[in-house]
Amino acid sequence: MRTRIPLRLLELNSPMMWQWPHIEEIVALMQRQHFNGLIFHQENLWSLLAHPSAHCRFERENLERGRIDSLLFLKRVIRYCKQHGIGVWLQGAANPTDGLLLQKHPEYPLIDTQESDELFWTQFLSQVMTEIFTELADIRGIIVNLAPPDVDRASLDALLGVLNRITRSHGKRLVVRDYMESKWQRWHFNNAISAMPPDVRVSLKATQSGYRPGLPNNPSIAEMPGRLKWVEYDMWGVEFGWTLLPCYLLEEIQGRLCWANAVGGDELEAISCKLSWEWVSNSSLVNSINSVNLQGLAMYGNELELSERDAFHIWLSEVLQRPVKDDESQRLQALFSQSFEWIRKTPYMLGHLLQTHSQIPESYEQALQLLFSEQYNMDPRYVGQSLFSSDDPQTGLEELHLIKLEKERAKFLAQQVRNQAHELTQSIAMPDQFRDLVLRVYERVPWYTEMFTRVCQGVAARYFIQRYHRHPEAHRLLNHEIEQMRQLAVDIDNWLDEGRHRHPHYLSLLFDPQRLLALAEDLSRVDD
């Protein structure tokens, strides 16, 4: 069995990718870590590179200037990557309906039939893609994100048919990204992709939904025989803390890659690693506490049988900028590895998901939607177990107690790893910059745990009352948790203010005190 994945790609997906120094930094990183492909991802990329239509009357000249400026920058990126032996792929929504498209094509909102919609996208994609493949002749291909099928809109079959014809006529590759959530959406996607030639690649998430540590591998990787497959690994952490929180994944990455390689065989053509996210600016996996996962993915992509201990030791030696003793590596690896179990406990309620893109739910309604979502969002250790399914209130009270114990264990682990981080940064020689990074990151761990402890217990008490009607103990718990959440919002606000010069600005988004306060007020609205 082979031990090397042919294509190893990094995905850029934030405004930083339009800054030249960032491109230079990423290309240097790719050379060090043996990545051989760069994905330039922006959802509205085709809108950005499209000419304004004849119906566009406002800001036409400026829109055209913006298009040319973006095209010139991409030419520079592609030329620079080619000089360093790196292939470039462009990624965007197959049929973007963002504000920029509507500004350039004000006629689009008037379309009200499927036939007219398919005609519009056939013409739009033909024009845009032809120009892209002509002006950016050295790109390897395009990756398209398909929106779920909608009434009176172009079918997935029609969109894929157009894109396949254009890419094939220009000798480029087409990769179709599968991120359909429901069974109905996935059924439509599978039907559409099965009609495509075998060399139309499909890009699959490593897990069935968003990448969350501990979730099962995506079963689709073992399906679609005869189809070349790419597998996406979100190492930036949309679902596990945005690089602001520790999450050590070396063991999991190796296990997932070995499984994908075993079931995919030669059909597994590429792996990709997400470095950033377009909705959180100025944030990158590079130089973060979780850069160990990036380097691990790179090393395992080149040599699947490399030991986890060796992979960590190599990364640590580079970070500490010196030869590292075995006991130093073991102690720091023990600290880092505990974050995997911590992140699996903290934003869950007895295995049921209670976070949305790493944030607490914005309302009680959203909390219930998360808790009772598809089984593939659950921690596999709890699959088959339902929350408060018994009609017996006493059994429900026992579940409340289990939730409390689970959160107490998470809080104990959080405090323990924070203390260990302080101890190890004092006893092991390391650059000041890395020491400060470790201390900052592990300072956040107890705060994040406390926030989800309060939210989990508050939502659980509120649902208990909804499920079993008023109960003195549950009502007291709910009132207690609401007050705790209100006070915690004040405490977090003060903590964020005190550390505003030490932490990235988007920490205030992850720990948003107003979001916590709004949820507390929503939980307080109990029907009599």
Side-chain angles (χ1 to χ4, degrees):
M1 182 182 296
R2 67 179 184 180
T3 60
R4 182 185 178 97
I5 310 299
L7 288 177
R8 302 167 304 282
L9 306 106
L10 288 186
E11 177 193 332
L12 301 183
N13 180 221
S14 83
M16 288 193 301
M17 68 189 186
W18 295 99
Q19 302 297 321
W20 185 251
H22 186 60
I23 295 296
E24 291 180 312
E25 177 189 30
I26 294 303
V27 169
L29 170 74
M30 294 177 73
Q31 289 194 293
R32 289 195 307 272
Q33 301 189 1
H34 306 291
F35 285 96
N36 54 12
L38 178 69
I39 299 173
F40 206 88
H41 178 196
Q42 185 167 306
E43 277 296 283
N44 70 343
L45 192 55
W46 317 145
S47 302
L48 185 63
L49 299 177
H51 290 283
S53 77
H55 301 280
C56 178
R57 295 287 185 268
F58 300 101
E59 298 289 348
R60 184 181 182 86
E61 289 188 9
N62 286 333
L63 290 171
E64 186 63 21
R65 288 189 187 96
R67 184 193 72 82
I68 295 172
D69 176 69
S70 300
L71 201 60
L72 290 173
F73 184 83
L74 286 172
K75 283 184 178 181
R76 186 182 181 190
V77 171
I78 294 163
R79 189 185 310 117
Y80 187 70
C81 287
K82 185 178 181 181
Q83 291 170 357
H84 292 85
I86 295 169
V88 176
W89 302 75
L90 301 184
Q91 179 172 343
N95 52 334
T97 53
D98 59 296
L100 185 56
L101 178 115
L102 300 181
Q103 192 176 3
K104 289 185 175 182
H105 289 267
E107 71 276 17
Y108 182 72
L110 303 177
I111 293 174
D112 58 1
T113 67
Q114 182 175 351
E115 182 180 7
S116 300
D117 197 54
E118 290 182 355
L119 178 61
F120 173 87
W121 289 113
T122 298
Q123 294 173 344
F124 175 85
L125 291 171
S126 297
Q127 293 169 0
V128 173
M129 294 302 167
T130 297
E131 179 143 8
I132 287 174
F133 295 142
T134 301
E135 294 289 335
L136 308 175
D138 286 326
I139 65 168
R140 300 292 176 84
I142 59 169
I143 305 166
V144 295
N145 308 329
L146 287 177
D150 199 1
V151 178
D152 293 333
R153 293 302 170 195
S155 67
L156 303 186
D157 307 69
L159 291 171
L160 286 182
V162 174
L163 290 164
N164 178 49
R165 288 194 298 273
I166 300 168
T167 51
R168 190 170 296 276
S169 66
H170 287 86
K172 304 299 180 184
R173 298 173 187 170
L174 173 62
V175 184
V176 184
R177 187 167 184 251
D178 173 17
Y179 63 102
M180 303 296 176
E181 291 291 342
S182 70
K183 292 179 181 178
W184 173 77
Q185 292 171 0
R186 187 160 283 111
W187 180 83
H188 276 276
F189 177 87
N190 289 339
N191 282 347
I193 199 69
S194 64
M196 293 292 103
D199 62 350
V200 172
R201 282 83 170 156
V202 61
S203 186
L204 303 159
K205 293 180 179 180
T207 58
Q208 195 165 342
S209 186
Y211 191 108
R212 299 185 186 93
L215 292 192
N217 291 309
N218 187 347
S220 296
I221 298 171
E223 300 167 357
M224 303 185 200
R227 177 80 52 193
L228 290 173
K229 303 178 184 73
W230 293 16
V231 181
E232 307 169 10
Y233 296 86
D234 171 20
M235 297 292 96
W236 182 80
V238 172
E239 304 291 347
F240 55 89
W242 305 355
T243 74
L244 295 169
L245 301 172
C247 186
Y248 175 87
L249 295 171
L250 285 194
E251 182 180 5
E252 175 166 289
I253 292 168
Q254 186 175 33
R256 291 192 189 281
L257 278 176
C258 287
W259 178 83
N261 191 50
V263 300
D266 292 338
E267 291 176 358
L268 177 60
E269 181 182 45
I271 56 172
S272 67
C273 175
K274 190 181 190 71
L275 279 185
S276 51
W277 192 35
E278 64 182 304
W279 304 114
V280 177
S281 62
N282 299 311
S283 168
S284 173
L285 179 61
V286 181
N287 299 324
S288 77
I289 196 71
N290 295 330
S291 64
V292 62
N293 301 328
L294 167 63
Q295 188 156 336
L297 185 69
M299 288 188 283
Y300 292 137
N302 277 283
E303 179 48 67
L304 283 170
E305 296 178 357
L306 181 70
S307 75
E308 178 192 353
R309 184 180 66 179
D310 288 345
F312 183 83
H313 196 103
I314 292 168
W315 171 80
L316 188 62
S317 298
E318 291 185 12
V319 168
L320 299 190
Q321 302 170 19
R322 63 174 176 81
V324 176
K325 298 175 183 177
D326 287 344
D327 74 300
E328 293 176 324
S329 180
Q330 290 168 8
R331 291 161 67 198
L332 281 168
Q333 187 177 1
L335 169 67
F336 278 44
S337 61
Q338 290 181 82
S339 64
F340 177 77
E341 188 60 29
W342 169 76
I343 204 71
R344 291 185 70 181
K345 290 182 183 298
T346 300
Y348 288 85
M349 183 191 297
L350 298 182
H352 293 71
L353 183 69
L354 195 61
Q355 57 99 338
T356 171
H357 297 335
S358 299
Q359 292 180 286
I360 61 171
E362 63 181 1
S363 65
Y364 175 60
E365 180 182 6
Q366 187 182 48
L368 294 187
Q369 290 171 354
L370 291 165
L371 286 172
F372 299 105
S373 60
E374 297 285 351
Q375 287 278 310
Y376 56 69
N377 284 324
M378 286 184 64
D379 187 317
R381 296 173 296 188
Y382 293 86
V383 168
Q385 300 181 31
S386 301
L387 285 173
F388 302 107
S389 58
S390 171
D391 292 332
D392 178 18
Q394 189 58 40
T395 304
L397 286 175
E398 291 172 4
E399 285 190 62
L400 282 180
H401 182 64
L402 289 175
I403 292 167
K404 181 180 179 182
L405 289 177
E406 177 185 61
K407 295 305 133 190
E408 286 177 352
R409 285 194 292 268
K411 289 173 69 173
F412 174 80
L413 182 57
Q415 195 59 51
Q416 176 178 275
V417 296
R418 181 178 181 273
N419 293 340
Q420 288 177 0
H422 276 267
E423 176 191 338
L424 293 176
T425 53
Q426 297 302 314
S427 61
I428 296 177
M430 59 185 67
D432 291 342
Q433 187 175 8
F434 183 67
R435 177 182 290 106
D436 292 343
L437 174 64
V438 172
L439 291 174
R440 285 197 308 273
V441 166
Y442 279 90
E443 175 190 344
R444 300 165 193 155
V445 168
W447 286 102
Y448 194 74
T449 309
E450 183 66 18
M451 182 169 66
F452 269 97
T453 295
R454 302 275 72 92
V455 169
C456 284
Q457 294 185 174
V459 168
R462 175 71 174 80
Y463 184 67
F464 182 96
I465 293 171
Q466 176 181 325
R467 177 77 173 82
Y468 302 107
H469 307 295
R470 284 194 175 273
H471 189 286
E473 185 174 340
H475 196 67
R476 283 194 298 271
L477 176 61
L478 176 61
N479 288 336
H480 172 76
E481 292 302 331
I482 289 170
E483 288 306 312
Q484 291 289 307
M485 290 168 69
R486 288 167 175 161
Q487 182 57 52
L488 182 59
V490 175
D491 294 341
I492 289 177
D493 195 33
N494 291 334
W495 169 64
L496 291 170
D497 185 59
E498 291 170 3
R500 63 186 181 278
H501 300 304
R502 298 178 56 243
H503 301 286
H505 68 277
Y506 49 93
L507 185 69
S508 297
L509 180 60
L510 184 65
F511 284 86
D512 187 358
Q514 293 306 312
R515 190 181 181 99
L516 180 60
L517 197 58
L519 178 58
E521 298 310 313
D522 197 26
L523 292 178
S524 68
R525 302 185 185 99
V526 181
D527 296 330
D528 292 323

